Amino acid sequence: MNSIVTVQDAAIAFADWIEPTDAELDAIEQEMPVILADVELLDAQIITLDRTPTELDARRIRRARRRALAARVALINRKNASMPGGAA
């Protein structure tokens, strides 16, 4: 039997009083360094959209890419360290 979604169900799904769970907030907090590093990279790239990048711009973008990659690696390492058993 197929489930029928009513307009009320759809409206309640996006109601203002529905808050993120503690688990969702914890996940966001764990990923915040990656998010901030990506924002920094985007900022560095946006600066060069309307002009030819200078050597300083190129260095800024390279640093931002390295920070974004390091943040992703750190997040993956934290997730793998928290998993039971670990890698052999």
Side-chain angles (χ1 to χ4, degrees):
M1 184 168 150
N2 291 337
S3 175
I4 298 174
V5 177
T6 64
V7 174
Q8 180 181 3
D9 292 339
I12 290 173
F14 299 105
D16 291 338
W17 50 267
I18 296 178
E19 298 288 330
T21 64
D22 289 339
E24 291 170 333
L25 291 173
D26 289 340
I28 292 170
E29 187 174 333
Q30 287 180 354
E31 293 178 10
M32 190 54 69
V34 175
I35 295 168
L36 294 175
D38 285 344
V39 168
E40 183 180 342
L41 176 58
L42 284 172
D43 285 344
Q45 291 171 335
I46 288 170
I47 289 171
T48 63
L49 284 179
D50 61 347
R51 66 177 189 207
T52 303
T54 64
E55 181 60 32
L56 180 62
D57 293 330
R59 279 189 259 161
R60 183 179 295 128
I61 291 171
R62 282 194 305 267
R63 274 194 308 264
R65 280 187 183 141
R66 285 194 302 265
R67 286 184 188 133
L69 180 59
R72 284 186 177 87
V73 168
L75 178 65
I76 291 170
N77 287 339
R78 279 194 306 269
K79 286 182 178 181
N80 287 340
S82 66
M83 295 179 76

